[in-house]
PDB file of all heavy atoms in Angstrom:
ATOM      1  N   ASP A 251     -65.923 -26.593 -16.382  1.00 94.00           N
ATOM      2  CA  ASP A 251     -65.910 -25.146 -16.663  1.00 94.00           C
ATOM      3  C   ASP A 251     -64.550 -24.531 -16.656  1.00 94.00           C
ATOM      4  O   ASP A 251     -63.576 -25.345 -16.434  1.00 94.00           O
ATOM      5  CB  ASP A 251     -66.590 -24.461 -15.457  1.00 94.00           C
ATOM      6  CG  ASP A 251     -68.151 -24.701 -15.564  1.00 94.00           C
ATOM      7  OD1 ASP A 251     -68.653 -24.893 -16.606  1.00 94.00           O
ATOM      8  OD2 ASP A 251     -68.818 -24.685 -14.348  1.00 94.00           O
ATOM      9  N   ARG A 252     -64.394 -23.342 -16.930  1.00 93.00           N
ATOM     10  CA  ARG A 252     -63.144 -22.666 -17.094  1.00 93.00           C
ATOM     11  C   ARG A 252     -62.378 -22.707 -15.748  1.00 93.00           C
ATOM     12  O   ARG A 252     -63.002 -22.498 -14.706  1.00 93.00           O
ATOM     13  CB  ARG A 252     -63.278 -21.139 -17.529  1.00 93.00           C
ATOM     14  CG  ARG A 252     -62.090 -20.503 -17.924  1.00 93.00           C
ATOM     15  CD  ARG A 252     -62.491 -19.218 -18.521  1.00 93.00           C
ATOM     16  NE  ARG A 252     -62.846 -18.224 -17.423  1.00 93.00           N
ATOM     17  CZ  ARG A 252     -62.939 -16.923 -17.643  1.00 93.00           C
ATOM     18  NH1 ARG A 252     -62.689 -16.316 -18.917  1.00 93.00           N
ATOM     19  NH2 ARG A 252     -63.325 -16.169 -16.764  1.00 93.00           N
ATOM     20  N   LEU A 253     -61.066 -22.971 -15.893  1.00 89.00           N
ATOM     21  CA  LEU A 253     -60.180 -23.156 -14.727  1.00 89.00           C
ATOM     22  C   LEU A 253     -59.341 -21.727 -14.671  1.00 89.00           C
ATOM     23  O   LEU A 253     -58.784 -21.272 -15.720  1.00 89.00           O
ATOM     24  CB  LEU A 253     -59.108 -24.180 -14.818  1.00 89.00           C
ATOM     25  CG  LEU A 253     -59.714 -25.628 -14.847  1.00 89.00           C
ATOM     26  CD1 LEU A 253     -58.597 -26.556 -15.192  1.00 89.00           C
ATOM     27  CD2 LEU A 253     -60.358 -25.958 -13.501  1.00 89.00           C
ATOM     28  N   GLU A 254     -59.355 -21.146 -13.453  1.00 91.00           N
ATOM     29  CA  GLU A 254     -58.529 -19.910 -13.198  1.00 91.00           C
ATOM     30  C   GLU A 254     -57.182 -20.305 -12.649  1.00 91.00           C
ATOM     31  O   GLU A 254     -56.988 -20.710 -11.601  1.00 91.00           O
ATOM     32  CB  GLU A 254     -59.203 -18.905 -12.368  1.00 91.00           C
ATOM     33  CG  GLU A 254     -60.583 -18.277 -12.849  1.00 91.00           C
ATOM     34  CD  GLU A 254     -60.427 -17.593 -14.154  1.00 91.00           C
ATOM     35  OE1 GLU A 254     -59.278 -16.977 -14.284  1.00 91.00           O
ATOM     36  OE2 GLU A 254     -61.298 -17.454 -14.769  1.00 91.00           O
ATOM     37  N   LEU A 255     -56.160 -20.267 -13.684  1.00 86.00           N
ATOM     38  CA  LEU A 255     -54.829 -20.608 -13.179  1.00 86.00           C
ATOM     39  C   LEU A 255     -53.958 -19.332 -12.918  1.00 86.00           C
ATOM     40  O   LEU A 255     -54.290 -18.186 -13.463  1.00 86.00           O
ATOM     41  CB  LEU A 255     -54.155 -21.439 -14.249  1.00 86.00           C
ATOM     42  CG  LEU A 255     -54.776 -22.838 -14.587  1.00 86.00           C
ATOM     43  CD1 LEU A 255     -54.041 -23.460 -15.674  1.00 86.00           C
ATOM     44  CD2 LEU A 255     -54.922 -23.674 -13.411  1.00 86.00           C
ATOM     45  N   VAL A 256     -52.809 -19.459 -12.337  1.00 86.00           N
ATOM     46  CA  VAL A 256     -51.998 -18.363 -12.066  1.00 86.00           C
ATOM     47  C   VAL A 256     -51.593 -17.533 -13.453  1.00 86.00           C
ATOM     48  O   VAL A 256     -51.743 -16.374 -13.628  1.00 86.00           O
ATOM     49  CB  VAL A 256     -50.660 -18.618 -11.427  1.00 86.00           C
ATOM     50  CG1 VAL A 256     -49.751 -17.447 -11.291  1.00 86.00           C
ATOM     51  CG2 VAL A 256     -51.036 -19.122  -9.936  1.00 86.00           C
ATOM     52  N   ARG A 257     -51.375 -18.408 -14.395  1.00 83.00           N
ATOM     53  CA  ARG A 257     -51.096 -17.787 -15.829  1.00 83.00           C
ATOM     54  C   ARG A 257     -52.177 -17.264 -16.609  1.00 83.00           C
ATOM     55  O   ARG A 257     -52.071 -16.661 -17.641  1.00 83.00           O
ATOM     56  CB  ARG A 257     -50.315 -18.807 -16.689  1.00 83.00           C
ATOM     57  CG  ARG A 257     -51.146 -19.974 -17.029  1.00 83.00           C
ATOM     58  CD  ARG A 257     -50.472 -20.903 -18.014  1.00 83.00           C
ATOM     59  NE  ARG A 257     -51.448 -21.528 -18.933  1.00 83.00           N
ATOM     60  CZ  ARG A 257     -51.378 -21.579 -20.139  1.00 83.00           C
ATOM     61  NH1 ARG A 257     -50.303 -21.200 -20.628  1.00 83.00           N
ATOM     62  NH2 ARG A 257     -52.422 -22.073 -20.790  1.00 83.00           N
ATOM     63  N   GLY A 258     -53.306 -17.572 -16.147  1.00 88.00           N
ATOM     64  CA  GLY A 258     -54.630 -17.093 -16.834  1.00 88.00           C
ATOM     65  C   GLY A 258     -55.645 -18.171 -16.950  1.00 88.00           C
ATOM     66  O   GLY A 258     -55.369 -19.405 -16.606  1.00 88.00           O
ATOM     67  N   PRO A 259     -56.843 -17.885 -17.392  1.00 91.00           N
ATOM     68  CA  PRO A 259     -57.944 -18.880 -17.643  1.00 91.00           C
ATOM     69  C   PRO A 259     -57.508 -19.998 -18.602  1.00 91.00           C
ATOM     70  O   PRO A 259     -56.867 -19.743 -19.579  1.00 91.00           O
ATOM     71  CB  PRO A 259     -59.061 -18.212 -17.942  1.00 91.00           C
ATOM     72  CG  PRO A 259     -58.562 -16.931 -18.575  1.00 91.00           C
ATOM     73  CD  PRO A 259     -57.208 -16.570 -17.935  1.00 91.00           C
ATOM     74  N   VAL A 260     -58.085 -21.202 -18.402  1.00 91.00           N
ATOM     75  CA  VAL A 260     -57.879 -22.389 -19.234  1.00 91.00           C
ATOM     76  C   VAL A 260     -59.198 -23.081 -19.369  1.00 91.00           C
ATOM     77  O   VAL A 260     -60.053 -23.194 -18.482  1.00 91.00           O
ATOM     78  CB  VAL A 260     -56.899 -23.419 -18.733  1.00 91.00           C
ATOM     79  CG1 VAL A 260     -56.916 -24.661 -19.605  1.00 91.00           C
ATOM     80  CG2 VAL A 260     -55.644 -22.742 -18.636  1.00 91.00           C
ATOM     81  N   GLY A 261     -59.689 -23.346 -20.610  1.00 89.00           N
ATOM     82  CA  GLY A 261     -60.992 -23.900 -20.803  1.00 89.00           C
ATOM     83  C   GLY A 261     -62.014 -23.000 -21.222  1.00 89.00           C
ATOM     84  O   GLY A 261     -61.669 -21.897 -21.798  1.00 89.00           O
ATOM     85  N   PRO A 262     -63.233 -23.248 -21.306  1.00 93.00           N
ATOM     86  CA  PRO A 262     -63.943 -24.467 -20.707  1.00 93.00           C
ATOM     87  C   PRO A 262     -63.649 -25.684 -21.608  1.00 93.00           C
ATOM     88  O   PRO A 262     -63.401 -25.659 -22.815  1.00 93.00           O
ATOM     89  CB  PRO A 262     -65.365 -24.043 -20.766  1.00 93.00           C
ATOM     90  CG  PRO A 262     -65.502 -23.198 -21.853  1.00 93.00           C
ATOM     91  CD  PRO A 262     -64.194 -22.409 -21.931  1.00 93.00           C
TER      92      PRO A 262
END
Side-chain angles (χ1 to χ4, degrees):
D251 291 331
R252 187 170 76 168
L253 297 172
E254 294 295 335
L255 303 177
V256 172
R257 68 173 210 133
V260 176

